[in-house]
Amino acid sequence: MNTGPTSDSQAKNSSLRNGSASNGGKSGKALLLSAYDGVSHRLWRDNLLTMFPDMQWTVLVLPPRYFAWRIRGNSLSWAFNHREQLTDNYDFLLATSMVDLSTLRGFVPQLGLLPTAVYFHENQFVYPQGEQQFASVEPQILNLYTALCADRIIFNSHWNRQSFLDGVTALLRKLPDHVPPGIQRQLENSDILPVPLSDEIFSLPRGTQSEQGVLSIVWNHRWEHDKGPALLLAIMQELIGSNVGFRLHLLGEQFRKAPTEFALLQEMLSQYYQRENIAPGHCGYLSEREDYLQLLRDSDVVLSTADHDFQGLSLLEGCASGCSPVAPNKLVYPEYLVAEFLYDCSANTHAASATAVARLQALAHMKSSGTPLPLATVDQFRQSELLQPYRELFQSLRRK
């Protein structure tokens, strides 16, 4: 997901209060901890503050870097740098799954008295092989301990929840002895609440789509191995050979070291655009969110090749903006996309690329014939649709 830059001030530990002093705190007073504040985590907490402006929020975040240190050191950083903010008489605590909650409660015993919900944007059990940020069982243990500290456990999708439960079951079976019974049953008592999308995305008018006969495709993910660059490259190679006119907007966050497929893809696309006399698509991160949303509104298709996605916010933003989705039939995607929008990934990369290209060819034919492209209904992810479930969550914590 491409949401704009992170300023230096946002990247540091920060405290943010939001709420009217005139309400006397009647709407509630909440502490929100985000220990590895990546893009989807920032979007989630920003949406909550927008959805509940009368809540008095104190937000502490840590930047999404130095993964091994961050997941183990967040309790140390907060307990000894922000003790006063952690002990300010809150109604409840809302923490992301990256928070080392058991250790933090040991350092700051007052937190053990707070009703607590833990929110899982992701879990550490199903990263693609070779993509583990930290080659250790410790991130999984941290996820488990933090979940066991919670009064409410919330996942952003059923896929996230089930893969977490399966991972915990497999982990506990490996432990040598003295494993307490009933842990799985305790964790099964959990709920699904997606990261909301702003209603504004759904209501903004569609832009001017690309010229007749040229299919405008957006790929808007992190430039990392778990987002399927090898499959993306294979799809584009086959699409170029299929005589379909297209333009690819290659968006998303980039890092110092990107998979080699992206350089190969850019070179291949450059040659294709020059040969076919097609204006190139945008390549790279869009620093202004409005520019990013405008590009989505101007495009025809949003494409995913991910090996790892727990909600698929990038794809959902494309759907909400009026793009027709093309996504693999795995991970979270079958939860909210019908078979029409999914391509088969059950075999190898070549077979997967062939089924994805067949879908893109069909969409290109529809566009060239003037037929409206099919759209996915994702209204269930609107802020307005999720306002009441989140309100009920907060009310349940305040009653504890």
Side-chain angles (χ1 to χ4, degrees), residues 67-68 71-73 100 103 124-125 132 134-145 171:
F67 180 81
I71 64 164
R72 205 63 183 95
D100 186 4
T103 303
Q124 298 299 310
F125 290 93
Q132 282 280 12
F134 186 36
S136 167
V137 75
E138 192 164 6
Q140 299 175 1
I141 292 287
L142 184 144
N143 266 185
L144 173 59
Y145 286 7
L171 174 64

Side-chain angles (χ1 to χ4, degrees), residues 42-316:
R42 294 198 301 271
L43 181 66
W44 171 73
R45 61 179 175 80
D46 286 345
N47 275 328
L48 291 186
L49 268 61
T50 299
M51 293 162 67
F52 297 93
D54 293 331
M55 185 82 72
Q56 291 183 288
W57 293 97
T58 295
V59 178
L60 294 177
V61 306
L62 290 165
R65 57 175 181 256
Y66 311 129
F67 180 81
W69 156 242
R70 190 68 69 230
I71 64 164
R72 205 63 183 95
N74 63 75
S75 56
L76 188 70
S77 300
W78 280 330
F80 294 95
N81 290 332
H82 294 275
R83 184 173 295 269
E84 182 177 352
Q85 291 158 304
L86 293 172
T87 57
D88 196 16
N89 194 29
Y90 300 103
D91 292 304
F92 62 87
L93 166 63
L94 186 58
T96 65
S97 60
M98 296 288 198
V99 175
D100 186 4
L101 192 56
S102 58
T103 303
L104 185 59
R105 282 179 160 182
F107 286 143
V108 187
Q110 296 95 318
L111 291 177
L113 304 176
L114 273 184
T116 299
V118 169
Y119 192 86
F120 278 79
H121 294 86
E122 67 282 294
N123 71 74
Q124 298 299 310
F125 290 93
V126 287
Y127 281 88
Q129 188 173 7
E131 184 59 17
Q132 282 280 12
Q133 293 171 284
F134 186 36
S136 167
V137 75
E138 192 164 6
Q140 299 175 1
I141 292 287
L142 184 144
N143 266 185
L144 173 59
Y145 286 7
T146 292
L148 291 172
C149 283
D151 297 290
R152 297 284 301 273
I153 306 172
I154 312 296
F155 293 90
N156 61 353
S157 69
H158 291 279
W159 157 248
N160 191 359
R161 178 181 183 270
Q162 191 57 54
S163 60
F164 172 76
L165 293 174
D166 291 344
V168 168
T169 299
L171 174 64
L172 294 178
R173 286 173 179 165
K174 296 177 184 177
L175 302 181
D177 60 11
H178 295 285
V179 178
I183 287 180
Q184 290 94 331
R185 288 194 300 274
Q186 183 174 337
L187 297 173
E188 287 169 1
N189 186 24
S190 51
D191 299 288
I192 310 299
L193 266 181
V195 175
L197 297 179
S198 169
D199 282 23
E200 181 186 21
I201 300 177
F202 294 81
S203 60
L204 290 170
R206 289 283 279 160
T208 304
Q209 278 62 55
S210 60
E211 61 267 30
Q212 191 76 8
V214 176
L215 190 70
S216 181
I217 305 168
V218 170
W219 188 92
N220 52 342
H221 306 270
R222 287 181 285 103
W223 290 30
E224 293 187 292
H225 287 287
D226 66 315
K227 297 306 179 182
L231 177 56
L232 176 63
L233 180 62
I235 289 172
M236 291 300 118
Q237 286 174 326
E238 193 164 342
L239 196 60
I240 287 173
S242 70
N243 296 318
V244 168
F246 74 95
R247 174 183 299 110
L248 178 67
H249 299 291
L250 193 61
L251 309 182
E253 288 183 291
Q254 300 171 55
F255 305 93
R256 284 175 293 180
K257 187 176 181 181
T260 56
E261 288 89 350
F262 288 104
L264 296 172
L265 179 58
Q266 291 176 73
E267 177 62 26
M268 182 179 69
L269 289 172
S270 177
Q271 295 175 7
Y272 165 74
Y273 295 140
Q274 186 174 7
R275 184 177 68 248
E276 301 297 328
N277 195 26
I278 294 174
H282 182 87
C283 183
Y285 185 70
L286 282 169
S287 60
E288 296 297 330
R289 182 158 175 80
E290 181 50 44
D291 292 341
Y292 165 67
L293 294 177
Q294 184 63 56
L295 192 149
L296 289 180
R297 296 194 296 272
D298 291 343
S299 299
D300 302 307
V301 173
V302 60
L303 171 66
S304 172
T305 55
D307 285 326
H308 175 226
D309 230 340
F310 290 103
Q311 183 173 337
L313 285 171
S314 299
L315 192 90
L316 286 170

